[in-house]
Amino acid sequence: MSVTLPESVDAWRMVSARRSFAGALPVSAMPRLCEALAGTEGAVEYVLDFGRDEFGTAYLDVRVKAPLTMLCQRSLEPFVLPVAIESRLGLIRAEREEAALPPGSEPLLVGEDGKLNPAEVIEDELLLALPLVPVDPDSALPDEVVGPGPEESSDGEGRSDNPFAVLRELKK
């Protein structure tokens, strides 16, 4: 297992050699991911394993853990979202090979030269794991947005009128 993550690898050689890489990358080293975050602090822990499955399909197993600072869309406050990814990427040379991948494998198209940038693969997986609308589970809406509760109503009487009573009268 190699600790240093090379900038580029030959995917097919890595598969033949059953290479593994493990280590950590700073979140700030991933420019596309940083655009979607509220902060760039922290590190991404990764394990990449190249190999072939029992059907002879080349794969890349990606395991990533990262604390990502997101902006909560409910409270507009930053919060740390713990992200954990475990995925198997089936390495393919052409899109037509995608149908031959076993269930549970996502396709990863490798160029004709076989070159693959492992850091970009990690960044892509993190981008795919981000929620469309990040919401801190511990946040609550501010009081000015929620308004007074039914027990805090200023007139003190609850509405007992059925809003559909007018429609019932029109039906007659």
Side-chain angles (χ1 to χ4, degrees):
M1 184 171 295
S2 183
V3 176
T4 332
L5 190 64
E7 186 174 316
S8 178
V9 297
D10 183 331
W12 309 115
R13 274 187 161 165
M14 298 295 111
V15 168
S16 296
R18 298 180 120 357
R19 288 290 308 267
S20 294
F21 299 93
L25 289 171
V27 171
S28 59
M30 301 179 183
R32 293 178 296 142
L33 180 64
C34 288
E35 290 177 13
L37 300 177
T40 59
E41 56 278 339
V44 177
E45 296 177 21
Y46 65 87
V47 176
L48 303 176
D49 292 316
F50 289 88
R52 287 198 184 273
D53 64 11
E54 62 273 11
F55 305 111
T57 305
Y59 67 81
L60 169 59
D61 279 340
V62 180
R63 291 186 302 280
V64 178
K65 287 185 182 179
L68 302 177
T69 305
M70 306 285 300
L71 186 64
C72 175
Q73 296 301 300
R74 179 184 295 153
S75 65
L76 298 179
E77 297 289 329
F79 73 102
V80 176
L81 177 71
V83 176
I85 301 167
E86 287 193 29
S87 62
R88 175 164 282 191
L89 305 176
L91 304 178
I92 58 175
R93 289 184 170 95
E95 288 182 19
R96 66 181 174 272
E97 296 176 12
E98 180 179 347
L101 290 176
S105 289
E106 292 294 322
L108 178 60
L109 188 60
V110 179
E112 289 184 27
D113 60 356
K115 297 294 181 205
L116 187 68
N117 184 329
E120 282 184 6
V121 172
I122 293 168
E123 186 175 17
D124 289 344
E125 290 298 305
L126 286 169
L127 284 166
L128 289 170
L130 291 179
L132 289 176
V133 180
V135 177
D136 183 358
D138 298 329
S139 70
L141 287 171
D143 290 337
E144 58 268 10
V145 174
V146 176
E151 64 279 347
E152 301 169 14
S153 181
S154 58
D155 58 0
E157 65 182 57
R159 251 190 97 120
S160 60
D161 298 339
N162 184 343
F164 298 105
V166 174
L167 294 175
R168 192 175 315 122
E169 293 300 319
L170 290 174
K171 188 177 174 184
K172 290 182 181 177

